[in-house]
Amino acid sequence: MKDIYLHNTLGNKKEVFIPQRNEDVTMYTCGPTVYNFAHIGNLRAYIFADVLRRTIESTGSRVTQIVNITDVGHLTSDSDTGDDKVEKMAKSQGKSASDITSFYTGAFLKDIQELNIEVAAEYPEHFPKATDYIQEQIDFIKELEEKEFTYKTSDGIYFDTSKFRGYGKLGNIDIEKLKEGARVEKNDEKKNPTDFALWKFSQPDEQRLQEWDSPWGTGFPGWHIECSVMSMEKLGNTIDIHTGGIDHIAIHHNNEIAQSESLTGKDFVKYWLHTDFVNVESGKMAKSGNNFITLETLKENGIHPLAYRYWLLTAHYRSPVSFSYEAVKGAQEAFNALLVHVWQHCVKETGTVIEEWIEDTKKFAYNDLDTPKIIAYIHSKLNTDKPENEARTILEIDNILGLGIKQLIKEYGNIPDTIRERAQKREQFRQEKKWAESDAIRDELKKEGYILMDGEPGTGALIYRPLSAHIFTPPKG
Ligand code: AMP
Ligand code: ZN
């Protein structure tokens, strides 16, 4: 097996990836908080995790991936204050919490399917919900309490971060700075500004939609505890990889480490990997902001979900990207050109894989997932070998990129008879040198989403439907 090198946020350097067991690599991906649609920034985190998974699988290892569904306890502020996001949305719409969470879980699943993210096929076992693990979270907190890592305040049970040596080791968090920042915050019954809630009490004047009995009184779990609990329940005390966006490093992931390692005395995660942001002109894309773009919005603007995936892969996952429709449309054109090439030369299925291309691709992928290099490489290599070999090889490379090329090209040649008949009619005009009539048909077909590629006169034109014609947006309402 070739070595894979990955940038580990823990230690902040590229390291060779050595899983605990080659045959079953364990990976946990912090999943969505299901109170709203995922925006295309959130989706980058899952596309990245998918490419990582595919890269590891390309060595022959199996990967078990868990993506949690946060359906309770994620407050609007990271400092354990503010409203529960799910409660807030449910109340504002006069709905139950489960109406909200099941609707947005469904929307999330549809998004990741459209983005050809492998784990989508593993629904629901690989998508544990926080509310299905309440007892396990209570038991976890009880054990931390027995080991004296916790204390009680008027609003909940907190983890005492001063008792965990090395708190903040992920991303080298500057604790002193955090403390300074906290001085201006009032509230605090917290012993240390970095302490965080494990269990929050329902307040007497509060009518919560989701709450549970616990040894400490009625309430609900804090946000961080679910990830430690579900990771250990599903994958074991120590896992190989944990992924998320960079905004999770400072607080969420350091808290996961503190509570997990305090409980087990073992490493919680061997390799921490984080994706950078998708930004828009006004800054970071955020669910609470008005710069919120969903996959559905992209489709309404003529962008295929897989063209969005392609665009993201033209940047390294550790670089921020600036979203604009022009940029993604440009990427869609380039992707379409690649698809046409593969589609055109895959018809006979006679090609053989060009080993050199596969070797080179793996070299890039195994160097911390250098997808921009892979994409540039493919384009630079086109028309250097037999086109049917190239087509076959690109399909093989796509096992890592996950652009769904095989499926897409099936659609490319899926042309109704009525359209073929009109193309034949045009061919007849061409042979009769009736150019105006022939052009008129070609232009009409183009408007309807069919492109004619003229071959030798008399052989007829190849007809395909370009990427933009495959976007299906269900009617609203
Ligand atoms: P959430 O549903 O808010 O819990 O976030 C889901 C995932 O999206 C997390 O891994 C976040 O770190 C990530 N994320 C949030 N905002 C962005 C953004 N603008 N760009 C990229 N990833 C993001
Ligand atoms: Zn998490």
Side-chain angles (χ1 to χ4, degrees):
M1 183 182 116
K2 287 242 176 58
D3 285 339
I4 297 181
Y5 285 81
L6 299 173
H7 183 276
N8 194 346
T9 310
L10 188 66
N12 190 29
K13 61 175 190 299
K14 227 188 268 182
E15 288 175 14
V16 63
F17 174 62
I18 306 169
Q20 300 169 95
R21 295 179 309 278
N22 275 337
E23 67 280 8
D24 197 359
V25 173
T26 45
M27 170 161 150
Y28 186 94
T29 299
C30 278
T33 309
V34 283
Y35 70 104
N36 203 338
F37 292 106
H39 60 59
I40 57 171
N42 301 132
L43 294 171
R44 185 183 192 195
Y46 310 108
I47 292 171
F48 148 69
D50 191 53
V51 175
L52 173 60
R53 172 184 171 151
R54 288 164 178 273
T55 302
I56 295 168
E57 285 173 340
S58 77
T59 65
S61 296
R62 214 183 74 186
V63 179
T64 305
Q65 184 186 4
I66 295 295
V67 182
N68 66 300
I69 301 288
T70 300
D71 56 356
V72 68
H74 195 171
L75 304 186
T76 46
S77 148
D78 270 347
S79 58
D80 299 313
T81 56
D83 298 317
D84 178 317
K85 294 178 179 184
V86 168
E87 293 264 325
K88 192 175 169 195
M89 184 60 109
K91 284 177 183 163
S92 77
Q93 297 199 357
K95 291 190 172 144
S96 72
S98 72
D99 283 345
I100 293 293
T101 58
S102 56
F103 176 80
Y104 289 111
T105 303
F108 173 70
L109 190 68
K110 179 167 168 282
D111 283 348
I112 64 171
Q113 271 164 342
E114 291 186 350
L115 289 163
N116 199 33
I117 290 173
E118 268 189 336
V119 73
E122 293 163 357
Y123 190 83
E125 312 93 85
H126 292 242
F127 292 77
K129 293 193 290 186
T131 53
D132 284 341
Y133 285 81
I134 297 295
Q135 190 54 49
E136 289 80 353
Q137 294 180 73
I138 291 173
D139 293 344
F140 196 107
I141 300 166
K142 266 196 329 215
E143 219 177 312
L144 284 175
E145 191 175 45
E146 281 156 23
K147 294 188 169 163
E148 299 182 349
F149 283 102
T150 66
Y151 62 92
K152 189 174 171 181
T153 72
S154 59
D155 79 340
I157 303 295
Y158 279 76
F159 183 93
D160 184 346
T161 52
S162 68
K163 295 202 169 159
F164 178 66
R165 266 209 295 152
Y167 181 82
K169 64 183 173 182
L170 190 70
N172 276 328
I173 300 312
D174 186 342
I175 306 286
E176 288 311 311
K177 232 187 195 157
L178 280 182
K179 281 185 188 163
E180 273 168 37
R183 258 184 227 136
V184 284
E185 250 180 51
K186 32 185 178 33
N187 160 36
D188 254 350
E189 290 174 64
K190 281 197 213 173
K191 292 186 181 172
N192 309 284
T194 47
D195 293 353
F196 56 92
L198 297 163
W199 187 265
K200 294 270 284 185
F201 305 138
S202 300
Q203 295 303 316
D205 56 344
E206 186 188 29
Q207 209 45 55
R208 277 191 64 88
L209 300 172
Q210 301 195 101
E211 57 184 6
W212 296 266
D213 289 336
S214 82
W216 315 281
T218 308
F220 59 100
W223 171 41
H224 317 291
I225 193 75
E226 65 172 270
C227 286
S228 292
V229 167
M230 295 193 283
S231 179
M232 288 190 198
E233 287 285 328
K234 290 283 198 182
L235 302 169
N237 286 351
T238 302
I239 63 165
D240 295 312
I241 301 176
H242 192 124
T243 71
I246 51 167
D247 54 333
H248 282 170
I249 299 172
I251 297 174
H252 183 49
H253 287 165
N254 271 305
N255 292 352
E256 284 186 30
I257 293 174
Q259 64 202 7
S260 304
E261 300 192 352
S262 298
L263 189 100
T264 65
K266 296 186 181 127
D267 286 345
F268 175 45
V269 172
K270 293 289 184 189
Y271 301 84
W272 287 92
L273 276 83
H274 293 96
T275 8
D276 211 312
F277 288 144
V278 175
N279 295 314
V280 272
E281 246 172 44
S282 48
K284 178 198 162 200
M285 193 175 297
K287 283 186 190 174
S288 49
N290 49 10
N291 52 17
F292 185 123
I293 298 170
T294 64
L295 210 55
E296 224 36 64
T297 327
L298 289 191
K299 285 155 64 178
E300 283 160 13
N301 282 277
I303 293 166
H304 193 285
L306 291 166
Y308 176 64
R309 179 173 177 129
Y310 176 96
W311 175 69
L312 284 179
L313 299 189
T314 62
H316 191 263
Y317 76 89
R318 297 184 62 232
S319 309
V321 291
S322 296
F323 173 84
S324 74
Y325 284 106
E326 297 69 43
V328 183
K329 281 191 171 158
Q332 176 156 283
E333 296 277 305
F335 185 33
N336 190 58
L338 195 65
L339 287 163
V340 172
H341 187 79
V342 178
W343 165 72
Q344 217 182 334
H345 300 292
C346 257
V347 185
K348 295 186 210 123
E349 290 187 27
T350 51
T352 52
V353 172
I354 311 163
E355 284 306 327
E356 181 205 339
W357 288 26
I358 302 294
E359 285 300 302
D360 288 342
T361 298
K362 286 190 176 168
K363 202 172 70 201
F364 298 134
Y366 295 178
N367 180 19
D368 199 27
L369 315 184
D370 200 343
T371 55
K373 283 238 174 78
I374 300 177
I375 289 178
Y377 176 86
I378 297 172
H379 283 285
S380 76
K381 286 288 195 177
L382 283 188
N383 305 315
T384 59
D385 203 301
K386 282 204 191 115
E388 54 279 22
N389 293 349
E390 294 180 350
R392 175 90 178 71
T393 310
I394 292 167
L395 285 178
E396 197 68 25
I397 293 173
D398 197 36
N399 288 328
I400 287 180
L401 300 177
L403 293 166
I405 296 179
K406 197 169 193 173
Q407 207 47 44
L408 284 171
I409 60 168
K410 268 193 202 142
E411 291 295 311
Y412 266 49
N414 193 1
I415 310 295
D417 287 344
T418 51
I419 301 291
R420 289 198 188 282
E421 282 157 19
R422 283 160 67 194
Q424 270 165 15
K425 181 96 192 132
R426 168 182 178 257
E427 192 56 24
Q428 216 174 317
F429 284 136
R430 255 167 45 111
Q431 283 178 20
E432 292 162 11
K433 298 200 185 334
K434 292 185 177 161
W435 305 119
E437 289 88 339
S438 112
D439 286 354
I441 297 182
R442 187 194 56 202
D443 296 346
E444 274 167 27
L445 288 178
K446 188 171 177 197
K447 271 193 213 133
E448 292 168 38
Y450 298 92
I451 305 289
L452 298 181
M453 283 174 75
D454 292 328
E456 295 293 311
T459 60
L462 282 170
I463 315 170
Y464 74 90
R465 299 171 64 225
L467 201 53
S468 52
H470 299 280
I471 301 164
F472 173 66
T473 306
K476 285 218 171 88

